[in-house]
Each structure stands twice: as C-alpha cells, then as structure tokens.
C-alpha cells in the first residue's frame, strides 16, 4: 500500500470522526434546548396563527349545543361579549348561529377571525327582511320599534334545521355559568319552549314600575280588544321574558309555532292588539299569546335581568351578581353605554374590535 493511499484513508477516517462528533454535539444541544424550553421543539412556521387555547378544542366534542344570537351592527360588541362569556365558561361543544344583516357580515367575520375568538364554532346567517312584509304595522312609531332582527327568534327551526333543541340569547347578556346546564333544562311533555317568568324571585326584585317593564300580561296586551278577550286569558297572569329561550324544536315544528306567531303579528297590523301598550314591545306579545300557560320555566339564576332599568340594577348586591349564572341588561341602559349597573362585569368579557369601529362608552372623571 502506497503512502498516498494511507494518507487518503487517514483523512477519510478523520472526516468521519469529525462528523460523528458534530452530530453528537448537535443532539446534546437539542436535548439542552428541549429541557430549557419544552415548547421550542414544537414551534412550526404556521403555528403563530393558532390560538393558544387550541388544546381546549380537543375536548369540545360530543353533542352540539346550538346557540342563536342576533347581531346588529351598532351592537356588535355585545354579540362578541356574550359569545366570549359562553365559550370561556364552558367546555361544551357550542355552535353559534349568528343572524345578522348583509352590511354587518364582513365586520363580524373580521372581529372573530382576528381575535382570541377565532376557534369558536359559528355560522353566519343573513336575515331576510321580506319575511316581515305584512306582519309589521307601517305606522312610523311602530316601524321604529320594529327592529327586524328581534323577530329572528320566531324562526328558530329555520336557522338550526338539524337540531332538536336550541338556545336563543339576546345580545345584552353575559353568561357566567356552564351553558351545558342551561341546555339540559328539562321541558315538560308537549312544551315547545322554556322561559323565565317575570314573577320569579330573582328578577322581580329589579322591576321598577313606570319604567316600561311589566310583570303581567296586561302590560303587553290590550285586553279591551275583542280578539284578546276571546282568548280567555287572565290579565294578571305573570308574563315571561323571551331574552333567553330554550326551545324544543321538534315540538316547535309539530305545533307550527312560527305560523302561530306570524298570525298574531298580522292581526296586530289591523287591530292594534299590542302596538301601543306600556311595555312598547311588539316582539314579546305574540310569544305571550302563543305560549300562554303552555311553557316550561328556567331556573331564576339562569336569567337575572332588569340590569338595564333605571335604579333597578343597583338593587342587586355584588355577591348576588357574582352568583348569577346569566345576567341580562334588558332596559334602556346597556353595559357598553355611559350609565349602566355592573358594566365592569360586562367589560371582563368584551373583546376589543380590531377594526376600531366599536368601542364601549365610558364615563370619565371630567364628564358631567
């Protein structure tokens, strides 16, 4: 063997030895980094787009809980807050159906996709206002009160066609309990819906007379009208609040509830059965008629309301508000406005608008 060949073999062996040493050093460095930063090895170029709460998605399986909410452009921050509160306080497999108008779709999609809410399951449905033709009075005062989206709850089976049960929530709500518990509310046989009675102890304490809130049927319906008299309803019957609805959609379909609601809407355009009542509501009366003594009830702590009524919200203690499983700011004063009770509770669930179009209005020290 020549000297040149021996030198080549030695160089090759040295090169192999060098590569082995380098490989071992790299493996040791990798082990060190993994011990010091356990997540470093899992970082991939595209994972920066994933939510830090992605792990929660793995356990959100099983029965879907359909939750329907309406989204008006000027109240979009409210929708985001209620969705966030439902999502964060439950590990249930919640699927939101958001009913809105065409001009709000892009804003809503941006808000959800560019914030920590990006992993929430939802579908957006555009409300067809033509469905209300002939069902809402053309009186200017009535038209102003007739915000189209408030009628979306009448059409629940159409928006969640594959579901047997669903929850409807107003947008001025914060959910502090596990939505699974509300969904599991038992409805009596033959009942298509469950509501919160206005005479229950948890909400009646907040009612203020003369503020547009009533706790019986006479506050919503004109009992002097013949069509109302024929129904044989008692005027002092406790009313209910349709801001939270648990619906048995199978019964809803079988009993043609939507058709019944539309019937009373149409009749009201001709006879003013409820358009000019003290409550000033044209959404609640049809529900009161159709579900008269034929609905189940919701646990009072799952619908603590009147927080948006002047003076009423402040009657509740902070301890009571903390214990409540669902808070409802029904009334003129909303938690994203300047003067509202317990707006700090709502603020905890609000997710800032990435477009900057919506911001809560807050009182500053210099305001009068």
């Amino acid at each position: 063997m020549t000297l040149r060949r021996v030198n080549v073999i030695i160089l090759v062996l040295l090169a192999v030895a060098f590569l082995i040493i380098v490989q071992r050093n790299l493996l040791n460095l990798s082990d060190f980094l993994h011990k010091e930063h356990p997540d470093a090895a899992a970082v991939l170029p595209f994972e920066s787009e994933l939510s830090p709460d992605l792990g929660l998605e793995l356990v959100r399986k099983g029965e879907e809980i359909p939750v329907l909410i309406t989204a008006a452009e000027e109240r979009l921050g409210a929708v985001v807050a209620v969705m966030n509160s439902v999502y964060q306080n439950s590990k249930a497999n919640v699927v939101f159906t958001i009913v809105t108008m065409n001009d709000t779709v892009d804003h809503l999609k941006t808000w959800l996709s560019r914030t920590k809410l990006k992993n929430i399951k939802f579908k957006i449905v555009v409300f067809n206002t033509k469905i209300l033709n002939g069902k809402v009075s053309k009186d200017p005062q009535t038209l102003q009160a007739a915000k189209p989206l408030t009628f979306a709850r009448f059409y629940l089976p159409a928006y969640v066609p594959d579901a047997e049960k669903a929850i409807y929530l107003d947008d001025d709500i914060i959910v502090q309990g596990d939505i699974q518990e509300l969904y599991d509310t038992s409805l009596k046989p033959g009942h298509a819906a469950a509501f919160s009675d206005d005479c229950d102890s948890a909400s009646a304490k907040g009612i203020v007379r003369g503020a547009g809130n009533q706790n019986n049927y006479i506050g919503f319906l004109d009992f002097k009208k013949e069509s109302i008299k024929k129904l044989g309803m008692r005027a002092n019957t406790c009313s209910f609040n349709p801001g939270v609805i648990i619906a048995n959609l199978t019964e809803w379909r079988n009993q043609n509830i939507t058709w019944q609601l539309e019937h009373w809407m149409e009749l009201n355009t001709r006879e003013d059965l409820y358009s000019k009542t003290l409550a000033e509501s044209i959404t609640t009366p049809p529900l009161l008629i159709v579900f008269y003594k034929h609905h189940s009830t919701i646990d009072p702590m799952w619908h603590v309301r009147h927080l948006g009524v002047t003076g009423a919200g402040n009657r509740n203690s902070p301890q009571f508000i903390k214990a409540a499983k669902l808070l409802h700011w029904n009334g003129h004063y909303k938690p994203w406005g300047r003067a509202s009770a317990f707006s700090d509770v709502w603020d905890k669930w609000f997710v800032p608008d990435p477009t900057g179009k919506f911001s809560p209005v807050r009182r500053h020290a210099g305001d009068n």
Side-chain angles (χ1 to χ4, degrees):
M1 183 180 294
T2 64
L3 180 61
R4 178 177 294 178
R5 181 174 295 178
V6 170
N7 289 337
V8 170
I9 292 174
I10 291 173
L11 288 173
V12 170
L13 291 174
L14 288 172
V16 171
F18 175 77
L19 291 173
I20 291 173
I21 292 171
V22 170
Q23 182 186 32
R24 287 180 176 176
N25 287 337
L26 288 173
L27 289 173
N28 290 336
L29 177 62
S30 176
D31 290 341
F32 170 77
L33 289 174
H34 184 71
K35 292 177 182 177
E36 292 295 314
H37 306 283
D39 296 330
V43 174
L44 296 174
F46 56 83
E47 284 192 339
S48 61
E49 297 298 318
L50 300 180
S51 165
D53 294 328
L54 185 61
L56 291 175
E57 291 302 304
L58 298 178
V59 299
R60 292 182 183 245
K61 296 180 180 179
E63 181 184 13
E64 289 188 351
I65 297 182
V67 176
L68 185 139
I69 307 175
T70 59
E73 177 66 25
E74 68 275 11
R75 298 161 65 108
L76 209 50
V79 178
V80 169
V82 66
M83 290 177 67
N84 188 36
S85 70
V86 169
Y87 183 75
Q88 298 295 344
N89 286 313
S90 176
K91 291 185 179 180
N93 187 14
V94 180
V95 180
F96 293 95
T97 296
I98 309 169
V99 184
T100 189
M101 310 297 280
N102 266 320
D103 58 359
T104 304
V105 173
D106 290 341
H107 188 185
L108 178 59
K109 285 183 176 179
T110 300
W111 204 327
L112 295 177
S113 64
R114 289 172 52 185
T115 64
K116 65 180 182 179
L117 304 178
K118 64 178 69 176
N119 285 325
I120 287 181
K121 297 179 182 179
F122 68 91
K123 65 177 181 179
I124 298 175
V125 181
V126 176
F127 187 78
N128 182 4
T129 57
K130 292 182 180 179
I131 203 168
L132 299 179
N133 289 348
K135 302 179 183 71
V136 178
S137 172
K138 295 182 179 181
D139 177 74
Q141 185 177 355
T142 303
L143 285 174
Q144 187 176 4
K147 296 177 180 178
L149 290 174
T150 62
F151 295 100
R153 72 197 85 187
F154 289 8
Y155 302 94
L156 281 172
Y159 292 126
V160 280
D162 299 325
E164 296 182 0
K165 192 176 184 181
I167 295 173
Y168 167 85
L169 298 176
D170 272 355
D171 60 6
D172 51 353
I173 277 173
I174 289 296
V175 175
Q176 299 187 135
D178 188 339
I179 199 73
Q180 181 77 54
E181 182 182 336
L182 180 63
Y183 184 76
D184 289 340
T185 297
S186 178
L187 275 66
K188 294 180 180 179
H191 285 183
F195 303 94
S196 296
D197 287 333
D198 282 327
C199 301
D200 66 51
S201 58
S203 64
K205 62 189 291 186
I207 293 176
V208 178
R209 293 290 182 182
N213 285 276
Q214 297 290 299
N215 65 349
N216 52 42
Y217 269 54
I218 199 171
F220 293 89
L221 298 166
D222 187 348
F223 277 80
K224 296 178 181 178
K225 297 298 175 80
E226 193 62 30
S227 295
I228 298 298
K229 287 181 180 179
K230 288 180 179 178
L231 294 173
M233 299 185 299
R234 294 175 63 89
N236 63 350
T237 299
C238 183
S239 57
F240 55 77
N241 186 296
V244 177
I245 304 173
I246 305 168
N248 179 329
L249 299 179
T250 301
E251 286 292 343
W252 194 294
R253 296 183 186 98
N254 290 342
Q255 297 178 32
N256 291 319
I257 297 296
T258 296
W259 177 86
Q260 293 186 56
L261 294 169
E262 289 184 327
H263 166 74
W264 288 103
M265 289 172 67
E266 292 171 356
L267 198 59
N268 182 63
T269 62
R270 301 191 296 271
E271 300 183 18
D272 278 335
L273 303 178
Y274 49 77
S275 297
K276 298 176 182 178
T277 57
L278 178 61
E280 298 177 351
S281 171
I282 61 174
T283 306
T284 302
L287 290 162
L288 292 176
I289 295 171
V290 172
F291 288 101
Y292 178 73
K293 293 190 175 181
H294 197 66
H295 67 275
S296 298
T297 57
I298 296 174
D299 181 339
M301 294 303 285
W302 265 106
H303 196 178
V304 173
R305 48 205 182 278
H306 306 304
L307 300 183
V309 178
T310 307
N314 291 320
R315 294 186 180 187
N316 298 292
S317 69
Q319 294 77 15
F320 176 73
I321 293 299
K322 185 177 181 180
K325 296 179 180 180
L326 184 148
L327 302 171
H328 188 183
W329 281 264
N330 60 310
H332 294 298
Y333 298 96
K334 302 304 180 185
W336 55 89
R338 191 176 299 276
S340 169
F342 302 105
S343 58
D344 57 318
V345 177
W346 184 88
D347 286 342
K348 290 192 301 184
W349 303 105
F350 174 67
V351 179
D353 183 0
T355 71
K357 295 178 182 178
F358 181 97
S359 296
V361 179
R362 292 291 176 257
R363 183 180 296 279
H364 300 290
D367 290 346
N368 293 323

